[in-house]
Amino acid sequence: MKRFFQKLLEWLRMFFVILFEEDEDVKEHQRQEERLEQKQELEQKSKQATGIAQAVELGISSSDKPEYRKSKSVLTYRERILLRSIRRAVANEYTILMKVRMGDFVWLANEPKDRKFHNNQVQCKHVDFLICDKLMIEPLLVIELDDKSHQKFDHAERDKFKDETFEAVGLPIIRIEMQETYDADILKKQILEKIDNVT
């Protein structure tokens, strides 16, 4: 019996060692994927900025036809991680839309001075995730993923506009700080609380 328990303890120890190593391998793979994606995004932005700067400086534009490229994903690596947790949190109860333009679910209902300017405010901004009911696709909740860039003045102003606009139209918003992982149970509780308060 003693030998049996020794074998069992040895097997359990090996199991947890393997499990820990696999978990570390997965995390390292995710880190490598994120670094590669960030590098590609920086290279793309650098090329765009260089090309625009040269054209402006020389006062010319190319006679070449515009060349477009398909993005690897609609979402960034970090947004995809959050999306997986949101999917687990809402299961099949709601529809999740991504990268939705504000002008598609918020509209200007009067004729204020500088109407075009105010209308453009919602037409040129988007939200990361929009939770809707499944039948009518009615907007119920906005989820924004806030990284360090949201501390910059222009981002802060944009966030303030969104927060004030959503409050005015009665649409709740959850702002989530960027993390390595997200707890689906905590997300579910936050989502249901926000939706229950307006429905």
Side-chain angles (χ1 to χ4, degrees):
M1 185 65 85
K2 185 178 178 182
R3 190 172 178 182
F4 169 77
F5 280 114
Q6 285 176 337
K7 286 275 187 185
L8 181 63
L9 284 171
E10 186 179 329
W11 182 84
L12 286 170
R13 186 182 63 79
M14 288 174 56
F15 172 76
F16 283 111
V17 165
I18 291 168
L19 189 66
F20 178 76
E21 286 175 351
E22 285 180 354
D23 189 46
E24 285 300 309
D25 288 344
V26 169
K27 286 181 179 176
E28 180 57 31
H29 177 72
Q30 288 176 336
R31 285 192 287 266
Q32 288 175 355
E33 186 180 336
E34 183 180 4
R35 284 194 293 267
L36 179 62
E37 189 170 294
Q38 287 174 343
K39 183 182 175 185
Q40 289 172 342
E41 285 178 5
L42 284 172
E43 286 175 354
Q44 184 179 359
K45 286 178 181 176
S46 177
K47 285 178 183 176
Q48 289 173 343
T50 302
I52 292 169
Q54 288 174 342
V56 170
E57 186 178 326
L58 298 173
I60 59 168
S61 59
S62 171
S63 60
D64 296 341
K65 287 184 177 180
E67 291 184 20
Y68 298 100
R69 299 282 187 272
K70 181 175 74 69
S71 298
K72 181 181 176 184
S73 172
V74 172
L75 302 178
T76 66
Y77 173 75
R78 288 293 174 190
E79 288 168 340
R80 292 197 301 272
I81 291 176
L82 178 55
L83 174 63
R84 286 195 286 268
S85 294
I86 294 172
R87 281 181 172 153
R88 285 195 297 272
V90 304
N92 281 325
E93 293 182 53
Y94 301 101
T95 296
I96 307 166
L97 304 180
M98 296 152 278
K99 300 286 188 184
V100 186
R101 188 180 56 158
M102 279 182 68
D104 290 330
F105 61 95
V106 172
W107 54 282
L108 192 57
N110 65 350
E111 295 290 332
K113 186 180 177 183
D114 298 328
R115 187 182 201 282
K116 187 175 180 181
F117 167 79
H118 293 293
N119 196 48
N120 284 342
Q121 292 295 299
V122 294
Q123 297 299 335
C124 67
K125 293 177 178 65
H126 77 275
V127 298
D128 295 326
F129 303 99
L130 185 65
I131 309 299
C132 302
D133 85 305
K134 295 196 80 169
L135 182 62
M136 294 294 293
I137 316 297
E138 176 191 355
L140 300 174
L141 173 70
V142 169
I143 299 179
E144 289 277 78
L145 178 59
D146 290 351
D147 57 18
K148 288 180 181 178
S149 69
H150 285 253
Q151 296 170 7
K152 296 178 181 176
F153 176 76
D154 58 335
H155 278 269
E157 286 295 302
R158 198 178 309 151
D159 290 345
K160 183 182 175 186
F161 172 80
K162 288 180 182 180
D163 292 345
E164 290 174 350
T165 303
F166 296 145
E167 185 178 359
V169 302
L171 184 61
I173 180 171
I174 297 175
R175 291 195 170 277
I176 298 176
E177 293 292 327
M178 194 168 72
Q179 302 165 35
E180 287 289 327
T181 58
Y182 305 91
D183 189 312
D185 291 330
I186 293 173
L187 265 177
K188 181 176 183 176
K189 186 180 177 185
Q190 290 176 315
I191 290 168
L192 293 179
E193 280 178 1
K194 289 282 189 178
I195 291 175
D196 286 346
N197 284 339
V198 292
T199 55

